Amino acid sequence: MKRIDLIRHLEAMGCRLLRDRGKHSVYTNPANNQTSAVPRHREINDFLARKICRDLGINEP
């Protein structure tokens, strides 16, 4: 999955960027106060994309 597609999905589900440093961007879900790191690679493994969504408590893309 492309990183930009995952980020669009996260933002559509209500997640917000918490900080953007180093090799990862950290997103948070204000509804349940959970966070997850998104790596800065062009391609993100589908398994990792599902894990990020589960960590944030949202539907999988």
Side-chain angles (χ1 to χ4, degrees), residues 9-10 13 15 17 23 31 33 38 43-44 48 53 56 58:
H9 174 72
L10 295 179
M13 297 300 289
C15 297
L17 179 66
K23 296 181 180 181
N33 225 12
V38 178
E43 288 286 330
I44 296 176
L48 180 59
C53 291
L56 291 170
I58 61 173

Side-chain angles (χ1 to χ4, degrees), residues 33-51:
N33 225 12
Q34 294 177 322
T35 61
S36 184
V38 178
R40 289 195 193 187
H41 302 287
R42 285 182 194 249
E43 288 286 330
I44 296 176
N45 189 343
D46 290 337
F47 177 76
L48 180 59
R50 287 193 304 265
K51 183 197 178 301

Side-chain angles (χ1 to χ4, degrees), residues 2-38:
K2 299 272 185 195
R3 180 180 191 269
I4 192 70
D5 294 335
L6 177 61
I7 290 175
R8 284 184 187 142
H9 174 72
L10 295 179
E11 291 177 350
M13 297 300 289
C15 297
R16 301 287 174 239
L17 179 66
L18 183 63
R19 66 177 176 258
D20 199 23
R21 296 184 198 149
K23 296 181 180 181
H24 292 82
S25 301
V26 178
Y27 278 82
T28 184
N29 187 352
N32 56 15
N33 225 12
Q34 294 177 322
T35 61
S36 184
V38 178

